[in-house]
C-alpha cells in the first residue's frame, strides 16, 4: 500500500517538472475560477518561479517519504490512516504555495495546521504525542488567527487578496496607518509556523511524530510555510525599517539560540530539530534584506536545508529502525553494518557544514555576501551567521562521527542495512547536495533566479558560482570551518555547558506556555462550574440578559424616536386581538392551577395566529396554529404529571422581580426593533426577485414554499436532518431502560 501511495507525489513531481522549462523562460501559469465573488474569494492558483521551487521540494520529498514509510510503518494497524493524513497534508501544502488568492492561501494554511496536528499525534495512545500535537496546534493555530486578522486589516487598508498584484500596491499599504498592525499580524502568523523565537519551543517537541513525518513536515515543508509567506509578503510589506529590524534581529537570535541548544541533547532527532530552528532563523534573517544577495541567500539556503535535513531525518529513522536507538551515546561503528546510510549521512553532514564541493558551501558563500549588505545590520548579521554556522559544523561532525565511527556499542550481527526503500531517499538527497555543489550556475539559472525574481524583480544579477575569488565571504567560510572544528574538539565541555545553562534558566517560553495553558484550563473550570450549574432558569436568564445588553444597549438612544412614530389610526380588530393576547398572558402569569396556565398559553398562540391572518399571511397563521396546538398538547402531557403548583417551591420576591424585569425588557426590545424596522423604507429587491422568478424558475406560485424548497433547499434539507436526528435521539433515549 505504501509503495503504491508513493505514486501520487511522484506523479505530481513529474507534472511539476513538465512546467519547469517554461517557468525558467519567464512564463507564468494561472488558473482562476470564481468561488465566492461577493467575498472576493476565487479558486485562483498561480505557478511561478517561487511556487515551482516549493512544489518541487514538496512533491520530491513527499515521494521519498512515502516510499520510506512503506517499510518504516510496514504492517502498522493504522497504516491507511497514516498515508491519508500524509497525502492530505502534502496537498494542503501544495495548495498553499500555489494559491494566488490570500483567503485561499489561508484555507490551505489551516489545512496544514490540522493535518500536521494529526500526524504529530499519530501515536494517539501516547500521552506525550497527544500533548505535543496539542501544543503545535495551539501555537500555530494562534498564529493562524493572527494572520487572519492581518488579512482583514490588509483589505481595510485597500490591499488586494490577489497576491500577484502586491508589487504594485506595496507603497500604498506601507504608507497606511494600519501598516504596523498588518505587519505584526503577518509576522506572528509566519513566526509561529516557522518556529521563530519565542515560539520555537513547539518544534523539538513535535519530534514525537514518526521519523518520516519529521523529515517531511519539520525539515522540508510545513515549517517552511512561514518562510514562504514572508517571501510572498516581501513586495507588499518589505523595505521598511520595521520589517528589516524585526526579521534580522529575531531571525539572527533564533538561529544562534537554536544552534546552541543543538549541542545539548543526545537524541539524534532532537538535535536535528534544534538545527532546523537554526536554519529557519537564518532564512528569516536574510528575508529582512532588500538586496539580491540577501534574498538569493535565503532562497539558496532554503533548498540546501531541505536537501540535507530531509536526508538526515530519514537516515536517523533508519538508524533507529536497525540499531533500536537514536541516542548517540549508545551508538557507534555503524558504517560497516550500514554503509549506504553512512554515505548518505556523510554527504548530508558535509553539505550542512558547508564544505567545498557541496551545495552547502555555495549557500554559505552567498549567505555571507548577503549579510554584509548595509541594511542587514552587517555586524549583527555576520556575527549571527558565523556563530550559527560554526555551531552547525560542530553538530554535523557530531551527527556523522558519533553513530558511524568509533567503537561499536551493540552486537554487530544485530544491526543491518535498512531496506532499499529506506536508504534510497537519503542517498539520493545527499547525492543531489553534491551534484548541485558542482553545477551551481545551472542551479541558479533554472531554480534560484526564477524563484527570487518572482518576489524581487530587479536588474541585479543573480548568479551562483563555485569560486568567487579571494574575498571576505571566503575568509568567513574558512573561519566558520575552523571554529566548527574547534567546537567539535571541545564538544563534551560545550554539551555540558549548554545543558547546565538550559537547566538553570529561570524561565522558558515553554514553561510560560504551560503556565498559561494551566491557568486557562483552571479558569475555564471555574467559569464552567459557575455558569453550568444545572439550573435551566439560570441558563435562560443569562441568555436573555446577554441579548438585551448586547442588542438593546446601542438601541436605548433611539427608543424615544421609535415610540413616537405611532400610526394615525389603529385597526379596532387588531386592538381587540392585542387585548386578547394580553389577557391570555395575564392568565398564564397569575394562574394558580396548571390547567389554567396551559389554557392561557394556548390563548396566546391562537391570538398570534389570528394576527397573522388579519394581516394577510394565512399560511403562517395556519403554521402558527398547528404548532401552538401541538405545543399545548405536549405541555399538557408533561405539566399535568408534575406536582401541583401549590406544592412547588415558592420563588422569592427578588427572583420574581428579576424574572419580570427580564421579560418586560425583552418584550420592550423586541417591540422597539419591530417598530424601528417597520418605520424604515422597505427594500423590495429580494421580494421583486422572488416574485419574478418563483414561477418562471421554480414553477411554483406560493413564494414562501418555493423559497423553502428551491431557492434555499439545502438549508431546508439541513433543518430536516437536524429534526430527524433529534427525533431519533429522543426515541433512543425513551427506549433506553432507566437506571436504578
Amino acid at each position: 500500500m505504501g509503495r503504491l501511495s508513493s505514486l501520487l507525489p511522484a506523479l505530481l513531481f513529474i507534472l511539476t517538472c513538465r512546467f519547469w522549462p517554461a517557468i525558467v523562460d519567464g512564463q507564468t501559469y494561472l488558473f482562476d475560477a470564481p468561488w465566492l465573488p461577493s467575498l472576493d474569494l476565487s479558486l485562483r492558483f498561480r505557478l511561478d518561479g517561487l511556487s515551482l521551487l516549493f512544489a518541487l521540494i514538496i512533491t520530491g520529498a513527499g515521494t521519498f517519504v512515502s516510499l520510506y514509510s512503506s517499510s518504516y510503518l510496514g504492517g502498522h494497524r493504522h497504516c491507511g490512516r497514516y498515508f491519508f493524513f500524509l497525502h492530505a497534508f502534502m496537498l494542503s501544502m501544495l495548495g498553499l504555495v500555489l494559491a494566488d488568492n490570500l483567503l485561499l492561501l489561508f484555507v490551505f494554511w489551516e489545512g496544514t495546521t490540522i493535518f500536521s496536528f494529526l500526524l504529530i499525534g499519530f501515536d494517539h495512545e501516547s500521552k506525550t504525542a497527544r500533548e505535543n500535537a496539542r501544543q503545535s496546534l495551539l501555537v500555530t493555530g494562534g498564529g493562524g488567527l493572527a494572520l487572519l486578522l492581518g488579512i482583514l486589516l490588509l483589505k481595510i487598508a485597500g490591499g488586494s487578496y490577489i497576491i500577484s498584484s502586491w508589487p504594485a500596491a506595496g507603497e500604498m499599504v506601507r504608507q497606511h496607518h494600519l501598516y504596523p498592525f498588518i505587519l505584526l499580524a503577518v509576522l506572528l502568523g509566519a513566526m509561529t509556523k516557522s518556529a521563530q523565537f519565542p515560539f520555537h519551543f513547539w518544534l523539538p517537541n513535535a519530534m514525537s511524530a514518526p521519523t518520516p513525518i519529521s523529515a517531511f513536515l519539520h525539515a522540508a515543508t510545513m515549517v517552511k510555510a512561514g518562510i514562504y509567506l514572508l517571501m510572498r509578503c516581501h513586495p507588499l510589506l518589505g523595505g521598511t525599517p520595521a520589517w528589516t529590524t524585526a526579521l534580522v534581529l529575531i531571525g539572527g537570535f533564533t538561529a544562534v539560540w537554536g544552534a546552541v541548544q543543538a549541542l545539548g541533547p543526545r537524541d539524534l532527532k532532537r538535535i536535528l530539530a534544534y538545527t532546523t530552528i537554526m536554519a529557519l532563523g537564518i532564512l528569516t534573517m536574510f528575508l529582512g534584506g532588500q538586496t539580491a544577495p540577501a534574498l538569493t541567500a535565503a532562497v539558496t539556503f532554503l533548498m540546501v536545508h531541505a536537501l540535507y535535513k530531509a536526508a538526515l531525518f530519514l537516515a536517523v529513522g533508519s538508524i533507529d529502525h536497525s540499531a533500536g536507538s537514536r541516542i548517540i551515546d549508545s551508538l557507534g561503528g555503524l558504517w560497516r553494518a550500514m554503509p549506504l546510510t553512512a554515505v548518505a549521512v556523510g554527504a548530508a553532514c558535509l553539505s550542512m557544514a558547508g564544505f567545498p564541493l557541496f551545495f552547502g558551501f555555495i549557500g554559505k558563500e552567498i549567505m555571507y555576501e548577503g549579510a554584509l549588505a548595509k541594511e542587514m545590520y552587517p555586524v549583527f548579521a555576520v556575527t549571527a551567521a558565523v556563530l550559527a554556522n560554526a555551531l552547525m559544523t560542530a553538530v554535523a561532525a557530531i551527527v556523522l562521527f558519533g553513530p558511524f565511527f568509533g567503537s561499536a556499542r551493540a552486537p554487530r550481527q544485530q544491526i543491518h542495512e535498512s531496506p532499499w526503500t529506506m536508504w534510497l531517499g537519503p542517498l539520493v538527497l545527499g547525492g543531489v547536495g553534491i551534484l548541485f555543489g558542482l553545477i551551481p550556475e545551472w542551479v541558479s539559472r533554472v531554480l534560484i533566479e526564477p524563484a527570487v525574481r518572482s518576489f524581487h524583480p530587479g536588474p541585479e544579477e543573480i548568479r551562483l558560482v563555485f569560486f568567487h575569488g579571494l574575498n571576505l565571504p571566503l575568509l568567513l567560510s574558512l573561519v566558520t570551518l575552523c571554529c566548527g572544528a574547534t567546537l567539535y574538539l571541545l564538544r563534551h565541555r560545550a554539551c555540558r555547558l549548554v545543558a547546565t545553562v538550559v537547566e538553570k534558566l529561570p524561565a522558558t517560553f515553554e514553561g510560560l506556555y504551560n503556565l498559561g495553558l494551566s491557568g486557562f484550563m483552571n479558569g475555564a473550570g471555574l467559569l464552567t462550574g459557575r455558569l453550568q450549574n444545572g439550573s435551566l432558569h439560570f441558563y435562560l436568564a443569562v441568555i436573555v440578559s446577554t441579548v438585551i445588553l448586547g442588542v438593546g444597549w446601542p438601541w436605548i438612544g433611539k427608543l424615544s424616536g421609535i415610540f413616537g412614530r405611532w400610526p394615525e389610526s389603529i385597526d379596532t380588530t387588531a386592538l381587540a386581538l392585542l387585548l386578547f393576547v394580553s389577557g391570555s398572558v395575564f392568565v398564564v402569569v397569575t394562574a394558580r392551577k396548571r390547567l389554567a396556565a396551559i389554557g392561557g398559553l394556548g390563548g396566546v398562540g391562537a391570538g398570534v395566529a389570528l394576527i397573522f391572518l388579519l394581516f394577510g399571511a394565512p399560511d403562517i397563521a395556519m403554521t402558527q396554529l398547528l404548532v401552538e396546538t401541538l405545543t399545548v398538547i405536549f405541555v399538557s402531557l408533561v405539566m399535568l404529571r408534575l406536582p401541583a403548583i401549590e406544592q412547588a417551591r415558592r420563588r422569592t420576591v427578588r427572583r420574581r422581580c428579576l424574572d419580570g424585569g427580564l421579560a418586560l425588557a425583552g418584550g420592550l426590545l423586541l417591540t422597539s426593533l419591530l417598530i424601528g424596522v417597520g418605520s424604515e423604507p422597505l427594500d423590495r429587491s429580494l421580494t421583486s426577485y422572488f416574485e419574478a422568478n418563483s414561477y418562471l424558475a421554480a414553477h411554483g406560485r406560493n413564494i414562501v414554499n418555493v423559497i423553502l424548497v428551491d431557492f434555499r433547499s439545502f438549508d431546508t434539507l439541513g433543518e430536516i436532518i437536524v429534526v430527524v436526528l433529534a427525533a431519533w435521539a429522543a426515541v433512543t433515549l425513551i427506549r433506553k431502560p432507566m437506571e436504578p
Side-chain angles (χ1 to χ4, degrees):
M1 177 182 178
R3 297 182 186 180
L4 184 63
S5 68
S6 63
L7 290 176
L8 174 62
L11 291 175
L12 290 174
F13 180 81
I14 295 172
L15 180 63
T16 305
C17 291
R18 180 177 176 272
F19 299 101
W20 193 349
I23 297 296
V24 173
D25 292 337
Q27 187 173 345
T28 299
Y29 293 92
L30 183 66
F31 172 82
D32 191 6
W35 184 7
L36 293 174
S38 59
L39 297 179
D40 198 12
L41 179 58
S42 61
L43 293 173
R44 184 182 174 95
F45 296 96
R46 186 169 182 262
L47 182 64
D48 59 6
L50 184 61
S51 54
L52 172 73
L53 176 62
F54 273 88
L56 290 173
I57 292 174
I58 293 166
T59 55
T63 301
F64 289 119
V65 168
S66 297
L67 192 62
Y68 182 99
S69 301
S70 64
S71 297
Y72 187 84
L73 290 174
H76 196 285
R77 59 192 179 115
H78 296 309
C79 189
R81 179 192 303 173
Y82 169 86
F83 281 105
F84 173 78
F85 291 159
L86 175 65
H87 292 151
F89 171 83
M90 181 189 69
L91 294 176
S92 297
M93 194 67 198
L94 272 177
L96 189 154
V97 301
L98 294 174
D100 195 38
N101 185 291
L102 188 56
L103 289 176
L104 185 62
L105 182 148
F106 179 77
V107 171
F108 288 113
W109 179 282
E110 292 301 289
T112 62
T113 299
I114 295 298
F115 288 114
S116 66
F117 162 76
L118 295 172
L119 287 168
I120 294 170
F122 177 71
D123 185 12
H124 58 274
E125 296 178 356
S126 168
K127 181 181 178 181
T128 302
R130 295 196 305 269
E131 290 179 349
N132 292 338
R134 181 182 64 182
Q135 184 182 81
S136 69
L137 178 66
L138 292 177
V139 174
T140 59
L145 292 177
L147 176 60
L148 179 60
L149 176 61
I151 292 172
L152 298 178
L153 292 177
L154 176 62
K155 189 64 175 179
I156 295 173
S160 173
Y161 288 146
I162 305 302
I163 297 174
S164 55
S165 67
W166 284 357
E171 194 64 30
M172 177 192 67
V173 173
R174 288 190 290 269
Q175 293 179 356
H176 200 276
H177 68 278
L178 290 176
Y179 170 77
F181 304 100
I182 298 172
L183 177 63
L184 178 61
V186 171
L187 290 183
L188 284 175
M191 290 179 179
T192 52
K193 200 78 161 182
S194 292
Q196 295 300 290
F197 183 87
F199 308 107
H200 62 288
F201 56 86
W202 71 265
L203 182 57
N205 294 334
M207 293 301 109
S208 57
T211 301
I213 296 303
S214 300
F216 194 46
L217 272 68
H218 308 130
T221 54
M222 175 194 165
V223 291
K224 303 286 178 42
I227 302 300
Y228 174 81
L229 179 65
L230 293 177
M231 289 178 175
R232 283 299 186 197
C233 290
H234 196 277
L236 184 71
L237 305 177
T240 65
W243 169 278
T244 300
T245 302
L247 266 62
V248 171
L249 296 183
I250 294 175
F253 184 82
T254 301
V256 174
W257 182 237
V260 168
Q261 286 191 292
L263 292 175
R266 311 309 296 162
D267 185 335
L268 284 171
K269 276 186 69 175
R270 200 163 183 86
I271 292 173
L272 295 180
Y274 282 113
T275 61
T276 300
I277 294 176
M278 169 268 173
L280 295 171
I282 287 291
L283 290 170
T284 301
M285 181 175 73
F286 281 99
L287 286 175
Q290 293 299 309
T291 61
L295 301 178
T296 302
V299 174
T300 304
F301 189 66
L302 170 81
M303 196 168 180
V304 170
H305 177 260
L307 290 173
Y308 77 70
K309 190 57 65 65
L312 288 176
F313 267 116
L314 294 178
V316 167
S318 297
I319 293 172
D320 190 18
H321 183 268
S322 298
S325 176
R326 300 194 306 259
I327 307 303
I328 291 182
D329 299 332
S330 62
L331 298 172
L334 297 181
W335 71 273
R336 294 182 182 275
M338 306 178 67
L340 296 175
T341 303
V343 171
V345 171
C349 285
L350 289 173
S351 182
M352 178 179 174
F355 268 77
L357 301 181
F358 289 85
F359 197 35
F361 174 77
I362 306 298
K364 190 177 297 183
E365 287 272 286
I366 191 67
M367 185 186 302
Y368 289 139
E369 183 180 347
L372 292 170
K374 182 178 180 181
E375 80 279 0
M376 286 286 293
Y377 304 100
V379 175
F380 175 84
V382 170
T383 303
V386 170
L387 285 176
N389 283 315
L391 289 164
M392 283 303 93
T393 302
V395 171
I398 292 172
V399 172
L400 175 60
F401 293 114
F404 291 98
F405 298 94
S407 59
R409 294 177 172 84
R412 188 169 298 165
Q413 62 271 17
Q414 297 180 3
I415 304 175
H416 54 83
E417 185 62 87
S418 301
W420 70 271
T421 54
M422 297 181 68
W423 57 253
L424 179 64
L427 198 62
V428 171
L429 294 171
V432 171
I434 300 175
L435 176 64
F436 282 6
L438 298 175
I439 52 172
E441 294 190 13
W442 180 84
V443 175
S444 66
R445 183 177 61 84
V446 302
L447 282 173
I448 305 302
E449 183 177 2
V452 176
R453 297 293 188 205
S454 63
F455 69 96
H456 181 71
E460 298 174 278
E461 183 184 18
I462 297 175
R463 182 167 170 261
L464 300 179
V465 295
F466 179 76
F467 183 64
H468 289 271
L470 299 175
N471 52 18
L472 185 55
L474 178 61
L475 176 62
L476 292 174
S477 295
L478 296 177
V479 170
T480 300
L481 292 175
C482 293
C483 292
T486 304
L487 285 171
Y488 175 73
L489 295 176
L490 302 174
R491 62 188 180 281
H492 298 296
R493 294 182 182 179
C495 291
R496 288 194 297 268
L497 178 62
V498 170
T500 302
V501 170
V502 172
E503 289 177 0
K504 291 185 177 181
L505 287 176
T508 63
F509 283 95
E510 184 176 6
L512 294 177
Y513 161 83
N514 292 328
L515 183 64
L517 183 61
S518 176
F520 177 80
M521 297 302 293
N522 292 334
L526 292 174
L527 186 62
T528 302
R530 178 65 179 168
L531 295 179
Q532 300 294 325
N533 57 7
S535 171
L536 294 177
H537 173 270
F538 178 76
Y539 299 159
L540 186 60
V542 170
I543 293 172
V544 174
S545 302
T546 303
V547 173
I548 292 172
L549 293 175
V551 179
W553 182 261
W555 199 253
I556 291 177
K558 303 179 181 180
L559 290 181
S560 59
I562 289 173
F563 285 102
R565 303 172 184 174
W566 291 103
E568 297 179 358
S569 61
I570 300 177
D571 192 325
T572 55
T573 306
L575 182 60
L577 290 175
L578 175 62
L579 294 176
F580 175 74
V581 172
S582 301
S584 300
V585 171
F586 181 78
V587 170
V588 174
V589 173
T590 60
R592 313 302 294 176
K593 299 290 184 181
R594 296 195 187 277
L595 192 58
I598 294 171
L601 188 64
V604 172
V608 173
L610 291 174
I611 291 175
F612 286 136
L613 183 63
L614 176 64
F615 287 97
D619 50 349
I620 300 178
M622 181 63 69
T623 304
Q624 171 73 16
L625 189 60
L626 292 175
V627 170
E628 287 298 327
T629 302
L630 290 174
T631 301
V632 168
I633 293 173
F634 290 147
V635 170
S636 301
L637 293 174
V638 174
M639 295 187 65
L640 292 178
R641 292 179 177 269
L642 297 176
I645 294 180
E646 292 80 0
Q647 300 178 14
R649 186 180 60 171
R650 298 287 295 177
R651 295 179 298 169
T652 63
V653 175
R654 178 182 177 184
R655 177 169 169 178
R656 283 184 287 175
C657 292
L658 176 62
D659 293 345
L662 288 176
L664 290 174
L668 179 64
L669 174 63
L670 183 59
T671 303
S672 63
L673 288 174
L674 290 175
I675 294 175
V677 171
S679 63
E680 296 295 328
L682 183 62
D683 184 2
R684 290 188 53 84
S685 57
L686 283 177
T687 305
S688 302
Y689 173 80
F690 288 124
E691 288 176 348
N693 292 279
S694 292
Y695 183 75
L696 296 177
H699 307 290
R701 298 183 183 278
N702 189 314
I703 296 178
V704 175
N705 291 346
V706 168
I707 292 174
L708 293 175
V709 177
D710 292 279
F711 289 106
R712 43 169 290 187
S713 56
F714 283 110
D715 191 11
T716 305
L717 178 62
E719 294 172 356
I720 294 173
I721 292 173
V722 170
V723 173
V724 171
L725 291 176
W728 192 359
V731 171
T732 303
L733 292 175
I734 291 172
R735 290 179 176 177
K736 184 179 180 181
M738 298 294 293
E739 296 181 0

